[in-house]
Amino acid sequence: MEIAEYVQVLDREGRLLAHAAEESGPGATVSTCPGWQVRDLLRHIGMTHRWAMAYVAEGHTAYRPAEDLPELDGDELLDWFRTGHASLVDALGAAPADLKCWTFLPAPSPLAFWARRQAHETTVHRVDAESARPVTGHVAISPPFAVDGIDELLRGFHARRHSRVRTEKPAVLRVRTTDTGDVWTVRLSQDPPVTTRDAEGEADCEMSGPAARVYLSLWNRLPVPRLDGDPGLARVWRETSAVTWR
């Protein structure tokens, strides 16, 4: 995907998130994030947007901790979220192609990294916001974007030493999107997972389904559409794959 496409997704998903949060109210339970209410979700994603914007707009070349979560609530919190989201969209749209700043996953460029990461961050949390609405809605995620997000999660986040997705004995997990024909092979062991874009060798477990469903399943927002083989590997993923704030 092109950088401009990621920015468009980020813009749309942030607006949808705010709309869902406004409908549900700050005290509504976010069913996809146990222990969270909508106010917690808005504070988290609003803080994340501002943290990302600082790298893009100010060109910081080393890690900087995020600001503390605000104590705002109600309409003030929603306005704060919308302001930060719009500022991030504007910063990404105005940034030079040769932007130099800190990143934490492989990408063609720092600008491509932040546009991609924040598009997916906001999309997953938009789904969280929708789960809190009185009548749960669902805005479709395009298959190509979902495939991109699966790849970021498997070959980005869970290729890092921080990944807790590990097994005592070597095992192979396969991920397949039935509507796009994409396949990933995830080799598990006591070391960080190693993922390739292929279907080589036998798999101990296969997760499959439409790309958008698989994407949200791997982010632990939906059940796995279809599971074949050892269910223990799916349980390992569910219990250890959460990406936490660092």
Side-chain angles (χ1 to χ4, degrees):
M1 291 179 61
E2 300 295 328
I3 291 171
E5 293 178 279
Y6 288 123
V7 176
Q8 289 173 357
V9 171
L10 168 63
D11 187 21
R12 181 186 70 243
E13 296 292 318
R15 293 173 188 271
L16 290 170
L17 192 160
H19 177 69
E22 188 171 33
E23 271 198 347
S24 59
T29 298
V30 180
S31 63
T32 51
C33 296
W36 272 17
Q37 296 178 323
V38 167
R39 60 173 57 90
D40 302 303
L41 175 63
L42 287 173
R43 289 167 183 163
H44 166 76
I45 188 64
M47 173 271 292
T48 303
H49 284 168
R50 283 168 167 77
W51 179 71
M53 183 188 64
Y55 291 107
V56 176
E58 300 170 22
H60 301 299
T61 56
Y63 170 79
R64 292 165 60 93
E67 296 180 359
D68 293 337
L69 297 177
E71 296 184 2
L72 300 171
D73 207 348
D75 290 344
E76 286 186 323
L77 177 59
L78 196 57
D79 289 344
W80 176 83
F81 166 77
R82 284 180 165 134
T83 297
H85 168 251
S87 296
L88 175 60
V89 170
D90 290 345
L92 287 166
D98 61 352
L99 172 71
K100 300 291 190 297
C101 67
W102 179 82
T103 62
F104 60 87
L105 295 177
S109 71
L111 182 57
F113 164 79
W114 284 110
R116 181 195 203 193
R117 176 80 290 277
Q118 291 308 303
H120 287 293
E121 177 84 4
T122 307
T123 298
V124 171
H125 285 315
R126 182 267 293 174
V127 172
D128 293 332
E130 288 182 343
S131 78
R133 292 168 65 183
V135 178
T136 302
H138 179 69
V139 177
I141 297 170
S142 76
F145 183 74
V147 166
D148 182 79
I150 294 168
D151 202 64
E152 183 202 43
L153 185 60
L154 296 180
R155 299 206 296 161
F157 278 107
H158 289 291
R160 302 188 301 168
R161 61 181 178 84
H162 302 301
S163 177
R164 297 184 301 114
V165 182
R166 307 191 185 204
T167 53
E168 285 295 320
K169 297 180 179 179
V172 176
L173 172 66
R174 183 152 292 138
V175 176
R176 187 184 304 273
T177 55
T178 54
D179 51 347
T180 67
D182 291 277
V183 184
W184 295 260
T185 297
V186 186
R187 291 175 172 83
L188 303 174
S189 68
Q190 296 183 35
D191 297 317
V194 176
T195 301
T196 52
R197 289 287 294 266
D198 58 45
E200 293 184 3
E202 295 294 322
D204 298 292
C205 177
E206 180 169 306
M207 299 177 177
S208 63
R213 289 290 306 274
V214 172
Y215 172 62
L216 293 176
S217 297
L218 291 174
W219 276 106
N220 296 315
R221 264 58 183 191
L222 288 177
V224 177
R226 174 169 176 167
L227 185 65
D228 296 292
D230 181 3
L233 292 186
R235 187 165 56 251
V236 167
W237 180 271
R238 185 173 62 253
E239 293 176 352
T240 64
S241 67
V243 175
T244 56
W245 180 262
R246 294 185 180 277

